[in-house]
Structure formats: structure tokens, C-alpha cells
Amino acid sequence: MRFAFFDTKPYDMPSFEKYGKESGVTFKFYETRLNEDTVQLAKGCDGVCVFVNDMVNAEVIDRLCEMGIKVIALRCAGYNNVDIKHCYGKIHVLHVPAYSPYAVAEHTMAMLLTSIRRIHKAYNRTKDFNFSLNELTGFDLHGKTVGVIGTGRIGRVFVDICRGFGMNIIAYDKFPAKDSGIEYVPLDELFQRSDIISLHCPLNEESYHMINADSIAKMKKGVVIVNTSRGALIDAEALLEGIKERRIGAACLDVYEEEADIFFEDYSGHIVEDDTLARLITMPNVLVTSHQAFLTEEALSNIAETTVKNITDFFDKGSCANELCYRCGSVEDCRKQRAQKCF
Ligand code: NAI
């Protein structure tokens, strides 16, 4: 089996080569992202392997189908960059639902602690032999209320980490986890009560810009917002306004609405065109990492292993447990017909 691997980074290759070799899957690595202009590179392959910023829109899907390609293998959990509806009945979409919820949840806490204890500032100061503590005063997490939006795999691990810190936890989820001991509250109440808000829900029509001018107006003054989920959950302009008005105490962003053209690349020495991102980065209380939360050795290995298993299951057994199903909307609930997904 031959797969065109788009948006390749040096850290992707060792684990995909290792697991691919063991299972008879050859990856053809391309640095470029998948889009209408690059789709032709997949010609002659059985499938494409894509990541969060590859553009799998209707045109790309149609072109893949014309080339006889049967499978889109996402090497990530989120699939908001794939037009799943358009894929239905045409091309199979496999993803990696979980590879290390710990990687993302731990990065979330790392960002939160870095921000509120000013670790990034202290690091720069001591490098310059500046040992002053002025303006480095933080606050205790113990006893603070954290509002967790989305209590799936990652959200639940983050909840457990917060419990260890002695924080009060409230949560909002469209489908609350029964018997979790988590206090679920309506979204507005979460906005009103939380000292810290952390986003762990997927990006979809319903969650798009869930943090906006209206929701920010309901939040406590000085609230800390952490987003390690998807950029467009937050209206970045509204966030910037909230920071300028001193309503938002700090923002920790591992994802950004317009990240596709910027994140994962080295723009040092260049002029960044995105004024909103540039302005956010100038703020002393904004911490940005470039979609890094997943990046641990364990996660990279699990991603490659599961992606390769998805591919071999699909081709050898004719079905894959991690196939996304547009019709029933979720992998778990998919009503299997003829031992296959309802595709
Ligand atoms: P999951 O599917 O296990 O959990 C998502 C939870 O969100 C579910 O409990 C679901 O009921 C809930 N949900 C769905 N729609 C909602 C809505 N409108 N409002 C509130 N809750 C809603 O997903 P998992 O593995 O926990 O991942 C969460 C998100 O983290 C992913 O969607 C992805 O966008 C992001 N992610 C980010 C990474 C990074 O490197 N920054 C890496 C991996 C995932």
C-alpha cells in the first residue's frame, strides 16, 4: 500500500517509516500541504495521509476520487479541515481518536502555570542575569474555579490534573459524562463563575466562536482563557478587545483561528501579515505555542502506530474501527451494516 503523506515535518518521519515498514505501508513524504494545487501528487497512491492544516475540501475530495483514491487517513483526532459530508459515500475517512490525551492535557496545565506564574518572563530575565522579582507576582491555583468546556478524553485528564491542584471544577459538555463526579453547569453559568476557562471541545458549527464578545462580557474580570483545542472556538478579535479592555487577565493559546498559514513554519526574520496574531503576541499576558500540545514522543509513536493500523485494517479486513461516519455522526454510534460502517 502506498500513501501520499502531506505536510511532513522531520519529527513525523521516523515513527511512520518504522510502523509502515513493519506493516507493508509505504509513505511518500511531501513537505507541501494537501490542497487543490497539490492533490495531483497523490496520483498512483492508495490513499493520502493528512494533518490538521491540510485542506480536504469538496474539490480536493472529488479530485482524489477521480484518481481512484479510496482512503483519507488523518493522523490526528480533529477533522474540521475535512468536508466529511462531501466524503460520505465517496471516500473513506479514518482518524486517530486518541493518541495521548495526557500530552494535550499536560500542555494545557503547562501553559496555564507558565502564564500565571510568569515562568516565561523569569526564564528570560535570569538568562540576562536579571534576578529582580518585580511584576512576577502570580496567584495560587488552589481554591480557584476552573471551567472546563468539553469533558471527553482530554478534558477528563485535565479535570484530574486540576483536582490534584485542589481546584474547584465546573464543566459544560453537550453530553455530560455520567458518574464522573463533575459538576456540570449551563455555559453561561460557567462563564460567570470561572477564574480559568479551558477549551476541550471539538470545533463544529455549534462551537464556532463560542468565546466571543458576548461570552467575554459575561466572564469574571481577570479570567484566564486557555485554548488547546481549535482556534476558531475563539473569536480572536473579541479576545484581543477583551485583553485591551483589561477584562481578560491572560490568554494561553496553542491554537489560533488563522493558524493554517502560519503555525508549524519558521517566520523569524519575516513580517507576519496577521495583525491580530501579531498584536496578541505583543501582549504581556498572552502566551502562544504553535499547535504543540500533541508533541510528545509517546503521542508521535501512538499516532503512527494507529494510523498504520487503521490503513491495514481497512485494506485487509475491509473495515476500520476508527472510520468517521458522516451519516451517524460519530464513530462509536455507527450502526454497522454488513459488518461495515454505514458508508
Ligand atoms: P473527545 O471527542 O474525546 O471529547 C470532546 C468532548 O466535547 C465530548 O465530550 C463532546 O461531548 C464534547 N462536545 C462536543 N461538542 C460540544 C459543544 N458544542 N460544546 C461543549 N462540548 C462539546 O475529544 P478529545 O480527544 O478530548 O479532543 C478534544 C479536542 O482537542 C479535539 O476536538 C481537538 O480539536 C483538540 N486537540 C488538540 C490537539 C493539540 O495538539 N492542540 C491535539 C488533539 C486534540
Side-chain angles (χ1 to χ4, degrees), residues 51-52 76-80 95-101 103-105 107-108 148-157 172-177 184 187 199-208 210 227-231 233 254-255 259 264 289-295 303 332:
F51 197 50
V52 294
C76 53
Y79 46 90
N80 52 287
H95 78 148
V96 183
Y99 39 86
S100 174
V104 183
H107 189 84
T108 307
V148 179
I149 302 181
T151 53
R153 296 174 194 89
I154 296 168
R156 293 283 288 276
V157 175
Y172 169 78
D173 194 300
K174 260 188 86 181
F175 306 100
Y184 285 97
L187 199 49
L199 303 175
H200 299 287
C201 64
L203 174 63
N204 50 38
E205 275 174 24
E206 217 172 321
S207 61
Y208 176 79
M210 68 175 359
N227 188 7
T228 56
S229 193
R230 284 293 179 266
L233 294 174
D254 185 53
V255 285
E259 71 177 51
F264 304 120
T289 52
S290 53
H291 210 131
Q292 183 190 334
F294 75 99
L295 196 64
I303 288 169
E332 287 80 8

Side-chain angles (χ1 to χ4, degrees), residues 95 97 153 321 323 328-336 341:
H95 78 148
R153 296 174 194 89
E323 180 170 350
C328 64
S330 96
V331 179
E332 287 80 8
D333 295 341
C334 188
R335 303 273 171 267
K336 291 185 183 178
K341 295 281 167 189

Side-chain angles (χ1 to χ4, degrees), residues 235-247:
D235 175 346
E237 298 281 350
L239 181 77
L240 183 57
E241 274 314 301
I243 290 166
K244 281 160 99 177
E245 289 165 5
R246 277 71 170 168
R247 293 196 60 79

